[in-house]
Amino acid sequence: MTGRTYVSARINGEQRDFLVEPRQSLLETLRDELGMTGAKEGCNNGNCGACNVIVNGSLVNACCVLGVECNGAEIVTIEGVADGETLHPLQTSFLENAALQCGICTPGFIVAAKALLDKEPDADEARIRHWLAGNLCRCTGYDKIVRAVLDAADDMRRAPAKA
Amino acid sequence: MVTTSKPEYKVIGTRPVRPDGVDKVTGRAQYGADIKQQGALAGRVLRSPHAHANLKKIDASKALALDGVKAVVTARDIVGPDGDLSKLPDPAANILAGTKVLYRGHAVAAVAAINDHVAQEALKLIEVEYEVLPAVLDVREAMRPDAPILHEALRTRAPTGPSEGPSNVVAQTVSAFGDIEAGFAECDVIVEREFSTKMVHQGYIEPQAATAHWNSDDQLTIWTCTQGSFPARESVSQILGHPISKIKVIPTEIGGGFGGKISVYLEPVAALLSRATGKPVSMRMDRTDVFEGTGPTPGTNIRIKLGATKDGKLRAAYGDMAYENGAYPGSAAMYATMVVTAAYQIEHVKFDGFDVVVNKPRTQDYRAPSAPAAAFAMEQLIDEIADQLKIDPLKFRLMNSAAEGSRGPMGMPFKRIGHEECVEAALNSPHYNTPLEGPNRGRGVASGFWFNVGLRSSVNVSVQPDGTVNLNEGNTDIGGTRASLAMQLAETLGITFEDVKATVVDTDSVGVNDVTAGSRVTFASGMAVHEAGKNLIAALKERLAPTWQTTPDEVQFEAGVFKNADGSKTMTFKEAAVATVGRGVGLTVSGSVNAGFLAGGGFAHHIVDVEVDPDTGKTTILRYTAIQDAGTAVHPAYVEGQMQGGAVQGIGWALNEEYYYDDTGRMANSSFLDYRIPTSLDVPMIETIIVEVPNPLHPFGVRGVGEPGIVPPLAAIANAVARATGVRQTQLPMSPRRILETTRGIA
Ligand code: FES
Ligand code: FES
């Protein structure tokens, strides 16, 4: 049996210390060791974006990063996108635009869109489609997702404090 | 929206936020792989590397010796120590192979271990002895008398009686009306072509996942992301010979299905592993398992001949439709022969359907099963005839459209349907009225039909002391049906959407429900909800009557208000509920329906503009409009979502997706990198026009909307590509390579 390594990271603003096997991906670490099942496994090889999380400000596929690589990292997952009980404008916008059907892709899309809008609040449709091309959705045809991100960007520009 | 007359609704037609929405945008919603049971083991399945082989021997001793491995099961655990493995019935043999593997990916054994990594290591230690047999992968080849035989016991079902010897042809079915020879004799224009399409996958983003706990009292609990908890219970019961009374299926949230999550795969295996270990066992598939080990939808070979008179009347159609069922018998071709001409009135038709087994995964439904490939063929020929007669393709479809009273797909006349309205909406759409300019561009249109089914639904409704109601339903919510059912209950009771709390419950907690499929939940469970609402109103009348010193049938209920005969006493639903339940006694009613097989039929029509790059062969979708008759759109945003999602799945099917096999039956593209489904970059916004021709079979006029929208895209895009390039596309996918081969002879 493989030995375990001590890892300490800030996840959604909280210090978390845990042990992981070297072969465990960040996705497995979150889901199996830390009980955070918001990030989903759709492919486990970097092709669907369902596992998207933000590590040190960059969007990553958690299935393609090892848990042990995250020592000292600052990690944001879907569980940390809302501010307590107050939904993030992207979350509200996804609900109001009916941008989810089954919802399995939704955590990944919201995290990915947040990573974009945090850096590029003025992203237009073309930019959003380009950025979200790493996230697969099989239900919606993307129309309402792209609209939801455009609407959220609009809201965030109007009330930047909320974001 | 295009709407024929309908009543004024208060809740139906609005766009409330779905009740399960917040959990799904915050990551709290629990899907199949999110279920964690205390002390659970992880299970994994070993799959055949061969497309066709005799299974001689499985030796698991090395795997069992690995630290952390708790159990290995095979089909032997299904039939028992004295059972005959060669007689393992379908569908058990698809869950764990008996004496033969019939496709690469066929499950042969499963392991339970302390974690997923150990389970996967253990798989490598299981020794399996195979005797490899020749495989047959192509539907027409499998029909030949000298083809390798998958099932020695299979005899073709045909109108002339069963075949003498074994065959790969499961059934030959015929759908015929009129006199086909006389029909063609009347025709001035006849077109005839052969088409073929490849196996494609539903591509739901959530892989199958299930957890089972076989308790020491033989009570079996299963958590699974299924499209049907009741059918899953039934299948597990059949496969394992365990009574349904001892099985509880708890449906988790489901990350897409489209027909692919009706069958069980992991559930019975997890149950066997749990029985063997006494612990809960969680299993999930990886993406390759999903491609190779679950059910995609059939590849096809379809020949159609279609004729019309010079004044533009379709008179005769003949077809020969062969569908790959995969490794076990199915019935896709039978459905194809019925739906292929459903959008039109053609007096003389004959379609032969051939359901055929091949050494590929057992196929499953994928949204309007069989219809998209049939439409890919039929709707291209319709366009060719319209072109030859110099009639606008939409007007030509309108001239020949099916309508109320015309012969439906099973011979019975259609009730009120909306095909003409869909085509008219297309004719009047902004898209169709905007000219398409520029080189290498083309516009295509196509119609599509799907039956929609009714079947059984049951719901429970209980009144809360504050006058709100809880709605417990048994169908998994795959795309907003908690909302669409709560809305129908609110409408029935004259209360607000917010006063209804909809919950999906397990198989112990509500009456029987058939699958979340066939576009049936908003339709049939909507009928059950309406029934429950009426029962609730009747129960409240009973309770109000004595206090109002009258009889229940003197109490009226209208627009959410109870009244006595002279109108001197009134109470809203909520007031009545508080008075009789809040200060009285609890009240629960149920609503159960069997909405029959046919649910009224749904039509869609799509318009697409494409540009085909002559140098690379790449097809770009410039503009897309989806039109569909929803009967009554309960939650229009979710109706649009179904239309848009179906259109984009169709775009993927048309341009890109296929099971790509090598000669040995190995799928060469079993990942999302190589089996490329459309991304947000590949498609534009999908414009929608909802047509509402109320369905006479439903109290609110609802039609199922999940399926018709995937029927037109393959043909609409092919028609557009033909206009852009001048070359007809008869094979899918219309990949850049295929376009170059067909337009420039570049191989
Ligand atoms: S699960 Fe990580 S990209 Fe698909
Ligand atoms: S909503 Fe189902 S995959 Fe996106």
Side-chain angles (χ1 to χ4, degrees), chain B residues 412-476:
Chain B
M412 289 91 79
F414 273 121
K415 298 220 162 43
R416 186 77 171 90
I417 49 168
H419 182 242
E420 288 168 298
E421 286 79 357
C422 286
V423 179
E424 275 162 10
L427 268 168
N428 297 327
S429 67
H431 187 164
Y432 204 67
N433 289 289
T434 309
L436 175 64
E437 281 151 14
N440 307 314
R441 293 180 165 192
R443 172 169 295 165
V445 299
S447 287
F449 164 81
W450 184 244
F451 297 100
N452 297 343
V453 301
L455 309 180
R456 292 170 299 175
S457 281
S458 287
V459 299
N460 294 337
V461 176
S462 27
V463 179
Q464 303 306 303
D466 62 357
T468 62
V469 296
N470 287 0
L471 165 60
N472 287 354
E473 50 134 337
N475 279 109
T476 336

Side-chain angles (χ1 to χ4, degrees), chain B residues 100-442:
Chain B
K100 222 178 167 197
V101 291
L102 296 168
Y103 55 96
R104 182 186 157 101
H106 200 158
V108 297
V111 174
I114 50 159
N115 69 39
D116 198 42
H117 288 286
V118 176
Q120 293 194 51
E121 278 173 33
L123 293 185
K124 294 182 206 142
L125 299 175
I126 299 177
E127 289 166 3
V128 185
E129 198 185 311
Y130 295 100
E131 180 192 9
V132 178
L133 301 168
V136 61
L137 302 168
D138 175 81
V139 64
R140 291 287 177 192
E141 275 169 30
M143 291 170 74
R144 293 207 186 114
D146 57 347
I149 291 291
L150 274 77
H151 303 277
E152 282 300 327
L154 196 155
R155 301 289 180 274
T156 306
R157 273 184 286 114
T160 50
S163 63
E164 265 175 36
S167 164
N168 293 323
V169 181
V170 177
Q172 181 193 349
T173 51
V174 186
S175 173
F177 299 95
D179 176 343
I180 192 78
E181 270 157 39
F184 278 114
E186 289 173 31
C187 295
D188 303 302
V189 197
I190 293 175
V191 290
E192 186 171 4
R193 280 187 192 276
E194 176 172 347
F195 300 85
S196 66
T197 69
K198 294 284 174 54
M199 196 171 249
V200 297
H201 199 270
Q202 300 85 0
Y204 37 80
I205 304 300
E206 178 199 35
Q208 270 79 357
T211 297
H213 185 213
W214 196 305
N215 218 341
S216 45
D217 59 0
D218 276 342
Q219 295 290 338
L220 171 60
T221 306
I222 295 172
W223 295 258
T224 175
C225 49
T226 176
Q227 278 181 254
S229 46
F230 288 86
R233 184 179 69 170
E234 183 81 35
S235 303
V236 170
S237 164
Q238 258 175 31
I239 291 168
L240 301 182
H242 197 59
I244 55 170
S245 58
K246 291 191 172 169
I247 305 174
K248 169 157 92 173
V249 175
I250 304 176
T252 67
E253 298 303 327
I254 175 170
F258 314 107
K261 286 186 185 155
I262 296 173
S263 271
V264 296
Y265 297 98
L266 299 176
E267 295 86 343
V269 180
L272 288 173
L273 288 169
S274 178
R275 188 177 66 184
T277 59
K279 296 241 166 86
V281 175
S282 288
M283 303 186 76
R284 58 199 162 92
M285 292 195 186
D286 64 22
R287 184 53 56 181
T288 301
D289 291 341
V290 173
F291 278 118
E292 295 190 342
T294 70
T297 212
T300 69
N301 178 276
I302 296 173
R303 301 166 185 150
I304 298 183
K305 178 174 162 186
L306 182 65
T309 55
K310 58 178 174 298
D311 59 349
K313 276 276 159 210
L314 289 169
R315 295 297 293 155
Y318 169 73
D320 169 325
M321 315 178 87
Y323 277 63
E324 291 170 355
N325 290 173
Y328 293 92
S331 49
M334 180 184 78
Y335 286 112
T337 62
M338 293 190 250
V339 299
V340 60
T341 58
Y344 305 102
Q345 300 191 35
I346 309 176
E347 194 171 331
H348 309 288
V349 297
K350 178 168 185 278
F351 282 83
D352 291 311
F354 298 92
D355 277 299
V356 181
V357 289
V358 294
N359 290 114
K360 297 185 189 176
R362 162 185 241 152
T363 59
Q364 299 293 346
D365 293 346
Y366 175 17
R367 258 187 154 149
S370 83
F376 173 65
M378 183 71 182
E379 290 287 312
Q380 290 205 72
L381 297 183
I382 297 262
D383 251 38
E384 285 195 78
I385 293 196
D387 277 357
Q388 287 189 26
L389 295 172
K390 303 203 169 26
I391 304 175
D392 172 275
L394 287 181
K395 291 193 177 129
F396 183 68
R397 284 172 170 83
L398 212 45
M399 289 164 69
N400 290 285
S401 176
E404 184 173 358
S406 73
R407 191 188 67 227
M410 285 170 157
M412 289 91 79
F414 273 121
K415 298 220 162 43
R416 186 77 171 90
I417 49 168
H419 182 242
E420 288 168 298
E421 286 79 357
C422 286
V423 179
E424 275 162 10
L427 268 168
N428 297 327
S429 67
H431 187 164
Y432 204 67
N433 289 289
T434 309
L436 175 64
E437 281 151 14
N440 307 314
R441 293 180 165 192

Side-chain angles (χ1 to χ4, degrees), chain A residues 23 31 40 102 138 142 144, chain B residues 31 34 121 202 640 678:
Chain A
R23 62 186 173 186
R31 293 179 54 84
K40 305 299 180 193
C102 79
R138 193 58 157 173
Y142 303 103
K144 291 184 193 303
Chain B
Y31 291 82
D34 301 336
E121 278 173 33
Q202 300 85 0
E640 292 159 7

Side-chain angles (χ1 to χ4, degrees), chain A residues 100-105 136-140, chain B residues 205:
Chain A
L100 50 142
Q101 282 176 34
C102 79
I104 194 82
C105 67
L136 298 178
C137 174
R138 193 58 157 173
C139 298
T140 64
Chain B
I205 304 300

Side-chain angles (χ1 to χ4, degrees), chain A residues 27 40-52 61-64 134:
Chain A
L27 182 61
K40 305 299 180 193
E41 177 186 315
C43 68
N44 209 25
N45 58 8
N47 292 313
C48 77
C51 63
N52 277 178
N61 291 321
C63 68
C64 295

Side-chain angles (χ1 to χ4, degrees), chain A residues 1-2 4 21 23-25 27-28 31-33 35-50 77-82 84-85 87-88 90-107 109-110 125-126 128-148 150, chain B residues 15-18 20-22 24-31 33-36 44 67-68 114-118 121 201-207 253-256 258 284-287 366-367 477-480 635-638 640-642 644-646 648-649 652-653 657 671-675 677-688:
Chain A
M1 203 119 319
T2 335
R4 301 182 129 220
E21 289 182 43
R23 62 186 173 186
Q24 282 181 299
S25 68
L27 182 61
E28 289 177 273
R31 293 179 54 84
D32 299 342
E33 303 300 323
M36 300 170 77
T37 57
K40 305 299 180 193
E41 177 186 315
C43 68
N44 209 25
N45 58 8
N47 292 313
C48 77
T77 72
I78 185 65
E79 287 91 345
V81 171
E85 289 308 299
L87 295 182
H88 187 278
L90 274 162
Q91 293 171 312
T92 312
S93 182
F94 266 63
L95 292 177
E96 284 170 357
N97 281 282
L100 50 142
Q101 282 176 34
C102 79
I104 194 82
C105 67
T106 309
F109 270 99
I110 288 176
E125 184 190 334
I128 290 167
R129 283 190 183 274
H130 192 264
W131 180 265
L132 294 180
N135 293 78
L136 298 178
C137 174
R138 193 58 157 173
C139 298
T140 64
Y142 303 103
D143 183 300
K144 291 184 193 303
I145 292 177
V146 173
R147 284 179 207 277
L150 283 165
Chain B
R15 298 175 181 232
V17 168
R18 60 199 281 175
D20 49 330
V22 169
K24 285 181 175 162
V25 298
T26 54
R28 274 197 283 267
Q30 301 265 295
Y31 291 82
D34 301 336
I35 300 300
K36 309 278 176 203
R44 281 279 171 179
D67 204 13
I114 50 159
N115 69 39
D116 198 42
H117 288 286
V118 176
E121 278 173 33
H201 199 270
Q202 300 85 0
Y204 37 80
I205 304 300
E206 178 199 35
E253 298 303 327
I254 175 170
F258 314 107
R284 58 199 162 92
M285 292 195 186
D286 64 22
R287 184 53 56 181
Y366 175 17
R367 258 187 154 149
D477 183 349
I478 206 159
H635 191 306
Y638 286 111
E640 292 159 7
Q642 291 295 324
Q644 293 165 330
V648 170
Q649 283 183 319
W653 193 341
E657 295 177 30
S671 77
F672 269 150
L673 182 65
D674 299 317
Y675 186 102
I677 68 173
T679 71
S680 54
L681 257 189
D682 298 321
V683 291
M685 292 294 188
I686 307 295
E687 296 164 50
T688 56

